[in-house]
Amino acid sequence: MEASNGSSRTDFILLGFSDRPQLERIISAFVFIFYIVTLVGNTTIILVSYLDTQLHTPMYFFLSNLSFLDLCYTTSIIPQMLVNLWGPKKSITYGGCVLQFFFALDLGATECLLLAVMAYDRYAAVCQPLHYTVIMHSQLCQKMVLTAWLGGLGSALILCTLTLKLPRCGHQKVDNFFCEMPALIKMACVYSKVIEVVVFALGVVFLLVPLSLILISYGVITQAVMKIKSEARWQKIFNTCGSHLTVVTLFYGTIIYMYMKPHSSTSQDEGKFFTLFYTIVTPSLNPLIYTLRNKDVKSAIKKILWIQKWAAKS
């Protein structure tokens, strides 16, 4: 990831919403609140999934990984963003920018694959209930999660290397609130057809293919659900699958819009607000969506709180 041809290792300036000072104050409060919700919500899911033995299932193993991923993703972006929103300086070091850029790509690609894995888990649970424990054994779950993390790592290394080698001709202003790929590509003083092709190819692999597999899985699940006569079981399936589909829609909808369309067709402000949504809002909504629609998680939280209360009294 060496800099070349005018790509000096100086601090970058994150413009963000600096042209709208009044809007910055509103956004800073908005971001801070959603970050706290993200920290509390995702940490709760991880702890509950670990502490409650009834939740030691593939579904909650994947959900814990999703929550951990969201925690890492937001933490790599929001603290620096809040510093820039609250203070007069809007700068970020070259190293900090590279780390933000790398982790955003790595964790974003990993989440694409992880959501597809979770869809397969729901397919196995609904369509192969008698063989579910045999199909989704612990070793397979671990290998699927490891594949998702390694796949995200590989894509991030490729895109980071190509993007950071682009000559910037002294440009230091990143027209976004964090070091995201579209903003860094726009900083370059040359057009790179190679990056555009690679981004599109990886977009197909990490966005369109997983999304297609998710849709196929839920198509089969829908057919299976239509044959179920038990209303209680039908409702349970709807709650768990509905939560996952909601997260998929929020995440894939904004990511595909940002990365699969030509960068020139997205206005600067439009891109910033879409980026704000999938980096700040979506990670905070994931735990709320899963807990509000999931009786197992809610009962586990109540049980743990009751145990803690009882222990405190005794």
Side-chain angles (χ1 to χ4, degrees):
M1 293 186 220
E2 294 294 326
S4 62
N5 296 332
S7 299
S8 59
R9 293 177 176 274
T10 54
D11 290 359
F12 289 125
I13 299 171
L14 297 172
L15 295 178
F17 300 94
S18 56
D19 56 333
R20 302 177 183 179
Q22 293 181 341
L23 182 62
E24 273 194 322
R25 297 174 186 175
I26 299 173
I27 290 176
S28 65
F30 168 85
V31 170
F32 180 75
I33 292 170
F34 272 87
Y35 185 46
I36 296 300
V37 172
T38 300
L39 292 178
V40 174
N42 285 292
T43 302
T44 299
I45 286 181
I46 294 171
L47 291 176
V48 168
S49 299
Y50 176 76
L51 295 174
D52 194 325
T53 55
Q54 292 184 345
L55 300 184
H56 290 179
T57 62
M59 175 183 172
Y60 294 102
F61 172 68
F62 297 135
L63 184 55
S64 296
N65 272 272
L66 180 64
S67 293
F68 177 70
L69 189 151
D70 283 338
L71 282 175
C72 294
Y73 186 72
T74 52
T75 302
S76 68
I77 297 170
I78 295 180
Q80 179 67 52
M81 180 183 178
L82 289 174
V83 169
N84 289 349
L85 286 171
W86 289 338
K89 293 184 178 180
K90 309 295 181 184
S91 63
I92 183 172
T93 63
Y94 178 84
C97 187
V98 171
L99 287 175
Q100 271 195 349
F101 178 39
F102 176 79
F103 282 118
L105 287 174
D106 180 14
L107 298 172
T110 301
E111 183 159 350
C112 290
L113 298 179
L114 188 58
L115 288 173
V117 168
M118 293 174 73
Y120 177 75
D121 172 66
R122 291 299 84 208
Y123 157 78
V126 176
C127 301
Q128 303 289 334
L130 299 178
H131 304 286
Y132 177 69
T133 54
V134 177
I135 296 172
M136 299 303 294
H137 54 86
S138 59
Q139 290 184 344
L140 176 64
C141 293
Q142 291 169 5
K143 288 178 181 178
M144 293 172 84
V145 168
L146 181 61
T147 301
W149 282 96
L150 291 177
L153 177 63
S155 68
L157 287 173
I158 294 170
L159 290 175
C160 270
T161 301
L162 291 174
T163 304
L164 293 174
K165 282 186 176 181
L166 288 175
R168 296 189 300 274
C169 301
H171 296 163
Q172 295 175 266
K173 296 180 179 180
V174 181
D175 196 9
N176 211 325
F177 54 84
F178 82 104
C179 293
E180 190 191 27
M181 186 174 65
L184 291 178
I185 290 177
K186 287 179 180 179
M187 286 176 64
C189 50
V190 296
Y191 168 73
S192 175
K193 183 67 177 177
V194 174
I195 286 188
E196 190 170 303
V197 171
V198 171
V199 168
F200 183 82
L202 289 176
V204 171
V205 173
F206 287 91
L207 289 173
L208 298 186
V209 171
L211 182 58
S212 299
L213 294 175
I214 290 171
L215 294 176
I216 291 171
S217 296
Y218 277 102
V220 177
I221 287 172
T222 301
Q223 291 181 335
V225 167
M226 298 300 291
K227 300 176 183 178
I228 295 175
K229 296 181 180 180
S230 170
E231 185 176 346
R233 186 164 181 264
W234 189 93
Q235 187 65 35
K236 184 176 181 180
I237 292 170
F238 177 78
N239 285 338
T240 56
C241 293
S243 299
H244 184 248
L245 271 178
T246 304
V247 171
V248 167
T249 303
L250 289 172
F251 180 77
Y252 276 97
T254 50
I255 292 289
I256 288 175
Y257 183 83
M258 283 296 297
Y259 282 87
M260 293 303 290
K261 64 184 293 190
H263 297 305
S264 58
S265 64
T266 305
S267 69
Q268 293 177 347
D269 286 342
E270 182 185 12
K272 289 177 188 178
F273 282 107
F274 267 93
T275 303
L276 192 68
F277 184 83
Y278 73 76
T279 56
I280 311 300
V281 179
T282 303
S284 67
L285 292 179
N286 287 353
L288 293 176
I289 291 168
Y290 278 107
T291 54
L292 291 176
R293 297 177 63 92
N294 194 308
K295 293 181 180 179
D296 293 336
V297 175
K298 287 191 285 188
S299 61
I301 292 173
K302 289 178 182 178
K303 185 167 67 175
I304 291 172
L305 291 175
W306 183 85
I307 292 174
Q308 288 182 338
K309 186 177 179 181
W310 182 83
K313 287 182 178 181
S314 59

